[in-house]
Amino acid sequence: METLWAAAAPLTARGVQDALAARDLATTTVLTVLGRLERKGLVTREREGRAHRYRSVASREDHVAELMRDALDAAPDPGAVLARFLGSIPADERAALRDLLD
Protein backbone atom coordinates (compact mmCIF):
# COMPACT_ATOMS: atom_id res chain seq x y z
CA MET A 1 0.00 0.00 0.00
CA GLU A 2 2.83 2.40 0.78
CA THR A 3 4.11 2.00 -2.78
CA LEU A 4 0.71 2.72 -4.29
CA TRP A 5 0.11 5.70 -1.99
CA ALA A 6 3.50 7.16 -2.91
CA ALA A 7 2.96 6.73 -6.66
CA ALA A 8 1.89 9.71 -8.75
CA ALA A 9 -0.16 7.43 -11.03
CA PRO A 10 -1.52 3.87 -11.00
CA LEU A 11 1.21 1.20 -11.21
CA THR A 12 1.50 -2.11 -12.96
CA ALA A 13 2.58 -5.13 -10.92
CA ARG A 14 5.99 -4.67 -12.48
CA GLY A 15 6.04 -1.05 -11.34
CA VAL A 16 5.23 -2.15 -7.80
CA GLN A 17 7.91 -4.84 -8.04
CA ASP A 18 10.46 -2.29 -9.24
CA ALA A 19 9.56 0.08 -6.40
CA LEU A 20 10.14 -2.79 -3.97
CA ALA A 21 13.38 -3.90 -5.63
CA ALA A 22 15.28 -4.03 -2.33
CA ARG A 23 12.96 -6.87 -1.25
CA ASP A 24 13.68 -9.02 -4.32
CA LEU A 25 10.08 -10.19 -4.77
CA ALA A 26 8.86 -12.37 -7.60
CA THR A 27 6.23 -10.92 -9.92
CA THR A 28 3.84 -13.72 -8.91
CA THR A 29 4.20 -12.69 -5.26
CA VAL A 30 3.43 -9.06 -6.09
CA LEU A 31 0.41 -10.13 -8.17
CA THR A 32 -0.85 -12.34 -5.33
CA VAL A 33 -0.64 -9.50 -2.81
CA LEU A 34 -2.26 -7.03 -5.23
CA GLY A 35 -5.08 -9.53 -5.85
CA ARG A 36 -5.66 -9.90 -2.12
CA LEU A 37 -5.67 -6.13 -1.65
CA GLU A 38 -8.20 -5.85 -4.49
CA ARG A 39 -10.47 -8.49 -2.91
CA LYS A 40 -10.31 -6.56 0.38
CA GLY A 41 -11.41 -3.42 -1.48
CA LEU A 42 -8.17 -1.54 -0.83
CA VAL A 43 -7.05 -1.28 -4.48
CA THR A 44 -8.68 -1.26 -7.89
CA ARG A 45 -7.20 -2.31 -11.18
CA GLU A 46 -7.68 -1.11 -14.74
CA ARG A 47 -6.63 -3.02 -17.81
CA GLU A 48 -3.98 -1.37 -19.95
CA GLY A 49 -2.99 -3.52 -22.87
CA ARG A 50 -1.99 -6.92 -21.48
CA ALA A 51 -1.28 -5.58 -18.01
CA HIS A 52 -3.33 -4.04 -15.24
CA ARG A 53 -2.62 -0.80 -13.45
CA TYR A 54 -3.35 -0.74 -9.73
CA ARG A 55 -4.24 2.22 -7.54
CA SER A 56 -5.36 2.63 -3.97
CA VAL A 57 -9.06 3.17 -3.40
CA ALA A 58 -8.48 5.66 -0.59
CA SER A 59 -5.68 7.87 0.60
CA ARG A 60 -3.39 6.81 3.42
CA GLU A 61 -5.18 9.31 5.68
CA ASP A 62 -8.61 7.92 4.80
CA HIS A 63 -7.38 4.38 5.44
CA VAL A 64 -5.92 5.24 8.85
CA ALA A 65 -9.09 7.12 9.81
CA GLU A 66 -11.14 4.04 8.90
CA LEU A 67 -8.86 1.84 11.04
CA MET A 68 -9.33 4.25 13.94
CA ARG A 69 -13.11 4.16 13.45
CA ASP A 70 -13.05 0.35 13.40
CA ALA A 71 -11.03 0.28 16.64
CA LEU A 72 -13.49 2.63 18.35
CA ASP A 73 -16.47 0.62 17.09
CA ALA A 74 -14.91 -2.56 18.53
CA ALA A 75 -14.35 -1.02 21.98
CA PRO A 76 -16.96 -1.64 24.68
CA ASP A 77 -16.31 1.90 25.99
CA PRO A 78 -15.26 4.20 23.12
CA GLY A 79 -15.13 7.19 25.47
CA ALA A 80 -12.51 5.49 27.62
CA VAL A 81 -10.49 4.61 24.53
CA LEU A 82 -10.62 8.21 23.33
CA ALA A 83 -9.58 9.45 26.77
CA ARG A 84 -6.59 7.11 26.80
CA PHE A 85 -5.70 8.08 23.26
CA LEU A 86 -5.85 11.80 24.03
CA GLY A 87 -3.71 11.24 27.10
CA SER A 88 -1.08 9.53 24.98
CA ILE A 89 -0.61 12.11 22.23
CA PRO A 90 1.65 15.18 22.43
CA ALA A 91 0.20 18.54 23.41
CA ASP A 92 0.59 19.96 19.89
CA GLU A 93 -1.52 17.14 18.45
CA ARG A 94 -4.17 17.68 21.15
CA ALA A 95 -4.19 21.39 20.22
CA ALA A 96 -4.61 20.49 16.53
CA LEU A 97 -7.50 18.23 17.45
CA ARG A 98 -9.13 21.04 19.46
CA ASP A 99 -8.80 23.34 16.45
CA LEU A 100 -10.41 20.74 14.20
CA LEU A 101 -13.29 20.25 16.60
CA ASP A 102 -13.91 24.00 16.84
Side-chain angles (χ1 to χ4, degrees):
M1 288 305 302
E2 292 294 333
T3 300
L4 293 175
W5 284 324
L11 296 174
T12 62
R14 180 62 183 194
V16 172
Q17 183 180 16
D18 290 346
L20 299 171
R23 297 189 183 190
D24 194 32
L25 299 170
T27 303
T28 55
T29 301
V30 173
L31 284 167
T32 297
V33 172
L34 287 169
R36 289 178 181 169
L37 291 171
E38 182 182 17
R39 283 190 295 283
K40 290 180 179 185
L42 297 173
V43 303
T44 60
R45 68 179 180 165
E46 304 159 355
R47 183 170 284 288
E48 184 177 283
R50 294 179 50 209
H52 288 97
R53 290 201 171 270
Y54 295 84
R55 68 172 179 82
S56 62
V57 170
S59 69
R60 177 186 292 111
E61 295 78 12
D62 288 335
H63 178 68
V64 171
E66 185 175 334
L67 292 174
M68 292 169 68
R69 181 75 256 164
D70 290 346
L72 281 175
D73 288 345
D77 186 353
V81 172
L82 284 171
R84 293 267 175 109
F85 174 72
L86 292 173
S88 71
I89 62 175
D92 62 324
E93 290 178 3
R94 281 194 306 273
L97 183 56
R98 273 190 212 97
D99 290 344
L100 289 169
L101 290 171
D102 290 339

